[in-house]
Amino acid sequence: MNEILSFWAQWLRPSAGLPTVQWSLLLAVAAMAGYLTQRHTGLPKVVGYSLVGTVAGLAGFSGAVWPLQGIGLFLLELGIAIVLFECGGRIPLRWFRHNPMVLVQSITESVLTYFAVYWVLVWLQLPPQAAGPLALVALAASPAVLTRVVADTRAAGPVTERAIVLTTLSTLYALTLGSAKAELINRQSVTVLETVYPVVVVLGVSIVVAAVLALVLRMALRFMSPTSENTSMLFLALVAAGTAVAAHMGGSAPLAALLGGMLLKQLNPRPWAWPRQLGNASSLLTMLMFVLVSTVAAQADWSAPVAGVVLALIAVRLLAKAMGVALGNVGSGASWKQALWVGCAMTPMSSIALLIASQFVLASPSTGHVIAGVALPAILLMEVFGAVIATVAIYRAGESSKPWAPLTRSNNGESPRES
Amino acid sequence: MSLEAFNHSEPLTLGVELELQLVNTNDYDLAPYADDMLRLMKKTPLPGSVVPEMTNSMIEISTDICHSASEVLGQLTPIRDALVKSADKLNIAVVGGGTHPFQQWHERRIYDKPRFQELSQLYGYLSKQFTIFGQHVHIGCPNADAALLMLHRMSRYIPHFIALSASSPYVQGQDTAFDSARLNSVFAFPLSGRAPFALTWEDFTAYFNKMTRTGVVKSMKDFYWDIRPKPEFGTIEIRVFDTPLTIERAAALAGFVQSLGAWFLADQPFMPEEDDYLVYTYNRFQACRFGMDAVYVDPATGDHMPLREHILKTMDKIAGHAAVQGASSAMHMLRTEVEAGQNDALWLRERQREEQLLAEVSRQAAQRFRGTPV
């Protein structure tokens, strides 16, 4: 026996290690769960991914550490950056010139969400130092969840497009203010200049990285076909480099990607055919992102008082987003019914909220602990239920090209294939 | 249902309908914004009307009754400007052209209107493949019999209309090698193609009654002919034009039809015959396939000649009538392009050769529709 083992030992080589095996298996299970969820319930695959992550987190899976750091943080930021770059590219600045009410709608829903969540949390006797950051976390809707829902339902139309744009803009505000607020969280009293300074730094660094990213891609697109696989690889490589540089220099990597997308759209108004080529690499990264978020978020300490605060935060946020979208809807070219569905489609919370919460925890472990206690369960719930609400909103708005799978099966026995 | 009486209309008056594409500004695929466009367009007082079409990424605009090509353009211009303004507000674009170059028919959604839902039930996938975009030109006729005479005379010029308006070379992302692939989609429908050879309203009514007795048709709307009488308007409706990429070309094509009609009424240049239709389908195919480079077989003489040459000869014949109708500048515009062998299909192919990206071709076509030089 010993001879056999010693013979075998010479074939063993150092590998990526046990965590890699754990993560690979977890992702394999998530992929299957996502498929089965969509096939048997008609819900988007992201629900299946999140449920697997939740079970892993609740079971004490040790592969994801909180607060986020190292390779886990980088992968999360990279996943978000790819999604946000693409979402930023869906926002042509000229649209705001033709329809400034969309910008008003965005600002209204964000301001209302921030203050509504802040006041309710203070009313529920949370310290203002925690209520403020939590309101910023609540501000961030999730373009990542929404775009996956849109892909799974094959949706297109005014509600879908506006929800993506408003979600992306809310992310822009949340990332800028959240990153700046994390800088200030430990200071007792600050002057106006001290408040503005971190915002300028975060925005400034992010804009510089965004500009470099946009310019290089603009240059590349002059001679590279947007439908080429190599253009997609170039894009992935540049976003990865931008993510590492922005975070290192004090900016926000996702913010840089989002601004980069907006800038590139401005510099290059040609159609964005190339994100379609990103294909499975991007899908795998976003799946990893959802599993990571739910795994981490499930590690929160649950208790009855916390549950009450979390549910209040979710309810107020949902109401504030719907009301904000409705208030700003006048003259924006959308109907009231569409405004309602846009508000509902904006409810998912996921990776960006987690990233902002993580920044607060790293900046101030004491206050961060309170923030994480509320934020993590809220993120977990709204990654799953937000995806479900967004799916229902898209179907109710009549913007899905794909019938709800279980309904189709019961009607004609047809078994829909996965997209 | 019996055939309604042929109403009176002023001879040679014009009405133009244009089916248009609504596309998003991200990847320039078709976008389901018909309802939103209709809602916004209601706020602007305009001539004509704006109505939905079969799928919810399409919209149809039409003029009121016009007396000349320049009046058509005069009405289409404010409608186009209002469309562009509404589209800008919704962050979409409006595009001409007979087909969307790369849309996938199965992704289309039927517009929620009883007639479209009924057609969808009847025709299945054909109704979604009917996401094609045409220009219809109505021309006023003195009376019902004159309308049928005008219809069958116009039939000889169907290839001319097709070649001049062709703007649908790409379907589902592929170059079809046709200049107008749109008409191949229309051919899939029963009761498409040519109208029956009836030169009196009495004969036509008898045909209509026989058809309704079979239960195959209920009204004139069920006929998808290339040209059909429109008794409620007192017109004939020519339906073979692809939607051009610009409203200027749409108005010029209406001017061409009007000038031909004026020639027919004033000179009675020839009598149509059933035998004209012996070469009808061949000529139609040639024009769809080769556009300006098609061969035209003269139905009367059997002579073969380049279609381009026959168009120019026809233009010479009707030049005087065109001048009377105020269509000289429209004819000049068309003539210049015919002489250069140009049409919108060629423009689209040139753009694609340059850009190698059909979405970019659509973006540039949208710029052209809004009047911005590309």
Side-chain angles (χ1 to χ4, degrees), chain A residues 92 94-95 98-99 156-158 161 226-227 265 269-272 276 331 333-335 338 398-401, chain B residues 25-29 32-33 36 39-40 88-91 102 106-107 109 355-357 359-360 363-364 370:
Chain A
R94 60 183 281 276
W95 189 23
H98 294 300
N99 192 353
E161 288 301 323
T227 54
K265 181 70 180 176
R270 292 160 62 92
W272 279 40
R276 287 183 185 182
S335 70
Q338 286 174 327
E399 296 195 356
S400 169
S401 308
Chain B
T25 56
N26 186 42
D27 61 8
Y28 284 81
D29 199 354
Y33 277 77
D36 302 76
R39 193 175 58 244
L40 290 186
D88 281 343
K89 187 160 191 175
L90 294 169
N91 191 27
F102 59 91
H106 60 86
E107 289 176 359
R109 301 201 288 270
E355 304 293 346
Q356 295 296 313
L357 183 65
E360 173 61 10
R363 189 186 75 85
Q364 294 187 14
R370 66 190 292 148

Side-chain angles (χ1 to χ4, degrees), chain A residues 15-52:
Chain A
S15 74
L18 189 60
T20 311
V21 178
Q22 288 175 331
W23 265 107
S24 303
L25 292 177
L26 187 63
L27 291 180
V29 174
M32 284 191 282
Y35 172 82
L36 292 172
T37 304
Q38 193 185 31
R39 170 142 189 190
H40 293 289
T41 67
L43 291 171
K45 286 174 267 193
V46 56
V47 172
Y49 305 155
S50 303
L51 289 176
V52 168

Side-chain angles (χ1 to χ4, degrees), chain B residues 148 151-152 155 191-198 204 207 220 223-229 274 277 280:
Chain B
L148 289 169
L151 185 156
H152 291 291
S155 285
L191 308 171
S192 61
R194 53 159 287 202
F197 193 73
F204 185 77
Y207 167 83
M220 283 298 296
F223 293 114
Y224 291 88
W225 296 328
D226 294 342
I227 314 181
R228 69 182 180 190
E274 172 70 56
Y277 289 99
Y280 180 83

Side-chain angles (χ1 to χ4, degrees), chain A residues 54 57 66 179 191 211 219 271:
Chain A
T54 306
W66 175 256
S179 304
T191 62
M219 208 169 60

Side-chain angles (χ1 to χ4, degrees), chain A residues 21-369:
Chain A
V21 178
Q22 288 175 331
W23 265 107
S24 303
L25 292 177
L26 187 63
L27 291 180
V29 174
M32 284 191 282
Y35 172 82
L36 292 172
T37 304
Q38 193 185 31
R39 170 142 189 190
H40 293 289
T41 67
L43 291 171
K45 286 174 267 193
V46 56
V47 172
Y49 305 155
S50 303
L51 289 176
V52 168
T54 306
V55 172
L58 291 175
F61 177 63
S62 59
V65 288
W66 175 256
L68 295 168
Q69 49 202 290
I71 192 74
L73 177 63
F74 173 75
L75 286 174
L76 186 77
E77 285 188 328
L78 180 60
I80 300 171
I82 289 167
V83 172
L84 286 183
F85 190 87
E86 210 182 313
C87 289
R90 294 175 91 114
I91 305 181
L93 296 179
R94 60 183 281 276
W95 189 23
F96 301 134
R97 202 176 69 232
H98 294 300
N99 192 353
M101 286 312 293
V102 176
L103 207 51
V104 172
Q105 200 170 24
S106 160
I107 292 168
T108 310
E109 74 82 13
S110 294
V111 169
L112 202 61
T113 304
Y114 178 83
F115 285 107
V117 171
Y118 178 79
W119 283 326
V120 164
L121 293 181
V122 170
W123 181 67
L124 289 170
Q125 293 175 344
L126 246 71
Q129 298 95 311
L134 276 169
L136 282 175
V137 170
L139 190 62
S142 173
V145 173
L146 186 58
T147 49
R148 291 318 301 170
V149 169
V150 167
D152 285 355
T153 53
R154 288 195 222 130
V159 168
T160 305
E161 288 301 323
R162 190 160 301 191
I164 291 176
V165 167
L166 294 186
T167 302
T168 309
L169 287 174
S170 79
T171 300
L172 175 69
Y173 313 142
L175 281 170
T176 311
L177 298 174
S179 304
K181 181 87 177 168
E183 289 290 313
L184 300 170
I185 196 164
N186 277 329
R187 301 189 198 172
Q188 290 303 318
S189 60
V190 285
T191 62
V192 176
L193 189 68
E194 282 171 327
T195 312
V196 172
Y197 180 70
V199 177
V200 173
V201 170
V202 170
L203 261 179
V205 172
S206 304
I207 287 172
V208 170
V209 175
V212 172
L213 193 59
L215 285 171
V216 174
L217 275 168
R218 169 79 184 91
M219 208 169 60
L221 285 168
R222 278 184 193 276
F223 59 88
M224 286 179 82
S225 164
T227 54
S228 158
E229 200 182 355
N230 287 70
T231 310
S232 300
M233 291 193 279
L234 173 78
F235 160 74
L236 278 176
L238 286 177
V239 170
T243 302
V245 169
H248 182 71
M249 292 171 68
S252 160
L255 187 61
L258 196 163
L259 293 169
M262 287 172 78
L263 267 174
L264 183 60
K265 181 70 180 176
Q266 197 63 17
L267 295 171
N268 180 50
R270 292 160 62 92
W272 279 40
W274 47 287
R276 287 183 185 182
Q277 308 303 318
L278 288 174
N280 292 342
S282 154
S283 298
L284 180 68
L285 206 54
T286 42
M287 183 179 78
L288 187 149
M289 186 169 76
F290 291 126
V291 176
L292 182 65
V293 169
S294 49
T295 307
V296 169
Q299 294 171 12
D301 299 324
W302 290 79
S303 66
V306 166
V309 174
V310 167
L311 291 177
L313 181 148
I314 289 171
V316 170
R317 176 178 178 271
L318 209 156
L319 200 67
K321 287 224 174 270
M323 275 181 63
V325 171
L327 279 175
N329 195 53
V330 185
S332 76
S335 70
W336 292 107
K337 207 167 138 187
Q338 286 174 327
L340 173 70
W341 298 130
V342 169
C344 291
M346 291 181 70
T347 52
M349 265 166 99
S350 181
S351 38
I352 291 153
L354 188 79
L355 194 67
I356 297 171
S358 182
Q359 283 178 324
F360 287 126
V361 176
L362 281 173
S364 168
S366 54
T367 317
H369 182 70

Side-chain angles (χ1 to χ4, degrees), chain B residues 139-178:
Chain B
I139 179 159
C141 301
N143 56 55
D145 287 350
L148 289 169
L149 198 55
M150 176 96 81
L151 185 156
H152 291 291
R153 278 179 175 144
M154 281 289 177
S155 285
R156 288 194 182 185
Y157 298 89
I158 287 291
H160 306 54
F161 300 155
I162 292 171
L164 285 168
S165 69
S167 61
S168 52
Y170 296 101
V171 173
Q172 312 266 304
Q174 300 299 321
D175 190 335
T176 59
F178 278 66

